[in-house]
Amino acid sequence: MQPVYFDNNSTTRLEPETLEAIQPFLTQHFGNPSSSHCFGSVAAQALAFARREVGALVGATPDQVFFCASATEAINWAVRGCRTRIVTSEVEHAATLNACAHGRDSQQQLITLAVDHHGLISLEMLEEELRKGESTVALLWANNETGVICPIPEIAAACQRHGAYLHVDAVQAAGKIAIDLSQLPIDSLVISSHKLFGPKGAGALIVRDPARVEPLLWGGGQERGRRSGTENVPAIVGFGSACARAALFLDERARHVGALRDHLESEVLRRVSGTWVNGDGTHRLPNTSNIGFDGVEAEALVGMLDARGVAVSTGSACHSSTHEPSHVIRAMTRSHRKANESVRFSLSHQNTQDEVEYVLEAVCSVIAELR
Ligand code: PLP
């Protein structure tokens, strides 16, 4: 059996159709989209098409989409030089936490809201902060470690009431749940190609008002003068293709992966004693299950599962080099121990029932060994 990949919140496998869409742009359609000859116009048309596809996934028009190299870059772009106080939360991705800490105007206050044991901020606390002055709110739509979904429509309404700017990290939400920017007062939103079965090297900052976007890179004036540098056409074409497929198969994928995740989660809880789900009882992405194993070092469990051909993680891939227990689980449980005992299983529509059965057997036998 091939190794089983249950780490789809870290990155995803390219779909064959997307690979097929990319290939001509690595070979015969290699032109620079800024060139005025036919090689350039083929690339420029592909870029325009991808911009429509990416926008359509989240209910945005093409002129609202600005391409860049990753969601991390888009997040830094969105909060860079922010001239208001920033309100964020303890469970954000490192890209937001660090961009808010280092990228903002340092004269401005940074407020980091606590979360409850479900991983959610309190709307009352948010509103209390918004009453104190002009604010930029930077929050996740869906958490990458637990899959917990924030009530973004309610948060957006609160921001609108208080005149706050709302920036949303929709990296994990896009392609897994429906997003319609045309119906919500969200000012900016970021998504990432490689999290939704597209290639690495493409991300997007998607904004309500394109006129408000400030330049990130100065140079030849690409991305309407906001991000100079020749566009990564093959990656952006793949990003567009992946978004089109995500929109087309959104419900089907969610149903398939939701059934697999629910089976995995309920069987782990049934077969293994001393287990719990981080973020249980809340609205969660259909693909993610973050499970705690009492008395088991999560790093050891991940390593032994890897030896049996099962790829899972203890949290964000960005933290795996630091070996610090997840800041997200610590914030939710207020327990260093529980954070050390929690493992993230993140599935995709590409997984199968046989793989779930294999992983269940592997988890049971590894836990028996470790305990
Ligand atoms: N935000 C979230 C919620 C993520 O899960 C990730 C990646 O792990 C990022 C941002 C950063 O995305 P990228 O790898 O495109 O920089």
Side-chain angles (χ1 to χ4, degrees):
M1 187 159 171
Q2 292 287 314
V4 179
Y5 188 70
F6 276 12
D7 197 18
N8 286 275
N9 288 7
S10 293
T11 197
T12 53
R13 190 190 314 244
L14 209 65
E15 301 250 271
E17 295 81 356
T18 296
L19 177 61
E20 209 177 303
I22 294 170
Q23 260 162 350
F25 293 89
L26 291 165
T27 51
Q28 76 263 38
H29 303 319
F30 61 86
N32 184 327
S34 299
S35 300
S36 54
H37 47 64
C38 61
F39 290 88
S41 55
V42 169
Q45 278 164 22
L47 217 54
F49 193 74
R51 204 180 298 282
R52 270 204 300 280
E53 292 177 310
V54 171
L57 176 64
V58 296
T61 54
D63 64 314
Q64 294 178 302
V65 177
F66 290 84
F67 287 125
C68 57
S70 66
T72 299
E73 183 182 327
I75 291 166
N76 276 268
W77 192 356
V79 302
R80 187 169 159 270
C82 182
R83 287 181 285 271
T84 68
R85 54 213 291 285
I86 299 190
V87 183
T88 185
S89 92
E90 290 180 297
V91 294
E92 298 307 304
H93 188 271
T96 296
L97 292 175
N98 288 320
C100 289
H102 304 292
R104 75 187 199 284
D105 175 344
S106 57
Q107 306 298 309
Q108 298 296 340
Q109 217 188 340
L110 174 62
I111 296 108
T112 308
L113 297 173
V115 294
D116 63 15
H117 69 284
H118 295 302
L120 296 170
I121 59 163
S122 132
L123 274 173
E124 290 78 53
M125 269 163 59
L126 173 66
E127 293 215 47
E128 208 176 294
E129 286 302 332
L130 299 185
R131 273 185 218 105
K132 293 180 187 166
E134 196 187 352
S135 307
T136 297
V137 175
L139 293 172
L140 278 162
W141 199 313
N143 190 280
N144 47 303
E145 297 196 24
T146 59
V148 167
I149 297 172
C150 283
I152 289 295
E154 285 86 339
I155 288 169
C159 288
Q160 193 174 40
R161 273 198 300 283
H162 296 277
Y165 183 96
L166 176 59
H167 167 72
V168 177
D169 174 347
V171 167
Q172 296 293 342
K176 297 184 187 122
I177 56 173
I179 294 179
D180 189 356
L181 274 190
S182 70
Q183 299 301 312
L184 288 171
I186 292 173
D187 295 288
S188 62
L189 179 120
V190 302
I191 66 173
S192 178
S193 165
H194 77 102
K195 304 288 185 178
L196 42 77
F197 312 96
K200 292 160 188 67
L205 173 66
I206 301 166
V207 296
R208 187 142 63 122
D209 180 2
R212 279 183 72 174
V213 176
E214 294 199 10
L216 176 69
L217 298 174
W218 298 95
Q222 288 87 348
E223 291 302 292
R224 285 150 289 157
R226 308 315 207 292
R227 186 194 183 263
S228 291
T230 303
E231 299 87 345
N232 184 350
V233 178
I236 292 171
V237 165
F239 189 12
S241 156
C243 285
R245 294 181 58 74
L248 193 61
F249 299 116
L250 190 82
D251 295 337
E252 196 180 305
R253 287 179 179 182
R255 256 196 315 278
H256 175 81
V257 76
L260 294 180
R261 189 279 309 268
D262 290 350
H263 179 62
L264 174 79
E265 188 172 283
S266 60
E267 282 301 298
V268 169
L269 294 187
R270 190 179 69 79
R271 295 192 208 176
V272 186
S273 62
T275 43
W276 72 91
V277 175
N278 292 303
D280 198 12
T282 49
H283 198 28
R284 281 183 295 146
L285 294 176
N287 78 315
T288 310
S289 182
N290 193 304
I291 304 182
F293 297 84
D294 227 350
V296 173
E297 189 73 49
E299 285 294 345
L301 175 54
V302 169
M304 287 174 72
L305 285 174
D306 188 34
R308 284 169 167 74
V310 176
V312 295
S313 73
T314 51
S316 173
C318 321
H319 288 303
S320 52
S321 56
T322 66
H323 297 293
E324 267 290 295
S326 155
H327 70 285
V328 174
I329 308 303
R330 264 185 298 158
M332 291 166 70
T333 60
R334 304 284 157 206
S335 160
H336 202 273
R337 180 182 64 77
K338 284 192 166 175
N340 256 326
E341 295 173 346
S342 295
V343 170
R344 177 183 73 185
F345 299 81
S346 51
L347 286 66
S348 85
H349 62 278
Q350 296 166 341
N351 291 125
T352 64
Q353 184 70 30
D354 283 351
E355 288 179 322
V356 171
E357 299 304 339
Y358 178 80
V359 172
L360 280 168
E361 291 299 324
V363 167
C364 291
S365 81
V366 169
I367 293 291
E369 265 186 63
L370 284 170
R371 280 182 177 158

